[in-house]
Amino acid sequence: IPNIMDKICLIKQPAGLGDIFFLQKAASHLIENGYQIIWPVADHYSWLGNYIKRKGISFVKESDDFPYKEYYHHESLIITENFIFLPFECADRILQTLPMKAKYPLVYMSSENWQDHFHFKRNKKREQKLKKHLGLKDGEDFIFVNDMLGSPPDIYHRPMDIHTELKIARNDMKLFDDFHPLDYCWILENAKEIHTVETCFCYLAEKLVTTDKLFMYSRMVNDRPQNKDFSYIDFVYKKNWKTIAE
């Protein structure tokens, strides 16, 4: 935890791993300007600090007693001489626009090249353990499928119609306690095709060297689309994703 005499930025974006990955450029800017960041995350993401290890960011659990917690439930920007509170989670309500399109305007920044600021430490042992658990071998052809979206405990299944002769390595949320999305890096790097709902796996695939056969499926909850099309994230991704709305 930063020293109370430091310049402090408290960020409110406790969940949505993709959102957290996406916001690392904003974090870089704050750190470059001398801020120590306190970043509470949902308790089930308490492992995140084991992967994103950045001098200047302290990931804490939302349930922890962290400095400036009295401001954490505010829904407005707070800026004082040595303290900033950035409620990215409710930026859409503050700016009256779509959630992803509100994040960077909240701090008067462009999200362009956010991928260059998203750095994480891989856990190769966990990646190999997951690979073994899914029955995958070096040199074996397979595709990766993630048909899940949401954050625990609210996980939703998104139907997908996929035809393939290849083995399918599937994200299984029953493994959530044992493996984290960042443990899927080897799988994402080696899959012949990637089929995923628009979730954190898309952000990971943007960062890794992957196949160019990338299929992004719309977010659906109880068979109802969350968005009318993909325009809400049309500025986020650089890779040439094939989008599937139905």
Side-chain angles (χ1 to χ4, degrees):
I1 295 294
N3 186 298
I4 207 71
M5 299 302 290
D6 291 333
K7 287 168 65 178
I8 302 293
C9 176
L10 176 63
I11 287 179
K12 186 172 187 178
Q13 183 69 61
L17 283 178
D19 299 48
I20 293 171
F21 298 163
F22 179 62
L23 286 169
Q24 293 306 303
K25 179 180 177 181
S28 294
H29 179 71
L30 289 158
I31 293 167
E32 286 165 7
N33 281 277
Y35 283 90
Q36 294 287 316
I37 298 172
I38 301 171
W39 198 321
V41 292
D43 285 19
H44 52 261
Y45 293 143
S46 60
W47 47 264
L48 192 58
N50 296 327
Y51 295 81
I52 300 179
K53 295 173 175 282
R54 298 188 66 176
K55 188 175 181 182
I57 299 183
S58 298
F59 288 104
V60 297
K61 293 194 292 187
E62 274 191 306
S63 61
D64 287 346
D65 185 19
F66 49 84
Y68 298 97
K69 192 169 186 176
E70 64 270 24
Y71 297 102
Y72 190 66
H73 297 293
H74 285 232
E75 290 201 353
S76 57
L77 201 62
I78 299 172
I79 302 175
T80 66
E81 186 179 357
N82 288 311
F83 174 70
I84 297 177
F85 173 58
L86 295 177
F88 284 116
E89 185 182 56
C90 50
D92 57 325
R93 296 194 291 276
I94 296 170
L95 299 180
Q96 297 295 300
T97 187
L98 295 170
M100 290 307 289
K101 292 196 172 181
K103 306 288 187 193
Y104 277 88
L106 187 70
V107 287
Y108 303 100
M109 287 181 65
S110 161
S111 63
E112 188 177 7
N113 298 323
W114 62 266
Q115 295 92 334
D116 296 341
H117 300 268
F118 173 34
H119 305 293
F120 52 90
K121 180 179 174 61
R122 292 173 61 167
N123 188 322
K124 296 297 182 71
K125 283 186 178 178
R126 291 177 63 87
E127 290 182 27
Q128 290 299 311
K129 187 178 176 185
L130 175 59
K131 170 184 164 187
K132 183 178 179 183
H133 180 87
L134 294 176
L136 300 174
K137 299 180 176 62
D138 288 326
E140 182 178 21
D141 289 348
F142 66 92
I143 70 170
F144 172 68
V145 173
N146 167 51
D147 57 5
M148 302 288 183
L149 67 150
S151 296
D154 300 315
I155 301 295
Y156 302 96
H157 174 260
R158 199 270 193 223
M160 291 181 179
D161 185 22
I162 299 171
H163 302 279
T164 182
E165 303 273 315
L166 300 180
K167 184 172 186 172
I168 296 177
R170 193 179 296 274
N171 173 38
D172 184 351
M173 294 309 290
K174 293 196 286 289
L175 300 177
F176 193 88
D177 291 335
D178 298 313
F179 299 102
H180 313 310
L182 284 154
D183 296 329
Y184 283 79
C185 288
W186 183 91
I187 290 168
L188 291 169
E189 286 178 328
N190 288 276
K192 295 298 181 185
E193 298 177 7
I194 294 173
H195 295 256
T196 176
V197 187
E198 198 273 315
T199 63
C200 67
F201 287 107
C202 299
Y203 294 80
L204 279 174
E206 282 284 304
K207 186 66 182 177
L208 299 169
V209 177
T210 67
T211 175
D212 59 1
K213 293 181 179 177
L214 300 168
F215 300 86
M216 183 188 299
Y217 294 72
S218 60
R219 296 172 64 89
M220 298 179 76
V221 173
N222 300 326
D223 295 329
R224 297 185 64 180
Q226 281 192 325
N227 305 281
K228 67 180 189 298
D229 54 34
F230 290 88
S231 61
Y232 72 103
I233 43 88
D234 59 9
F235 60 100
V236 172
Y237 301 107
K238 284 184 178 179
K239 291 189 176 182
N240 187 25
W241 291 85
K242 178 178 173 54
T243 55
I244 296 104
E246 297 300 327

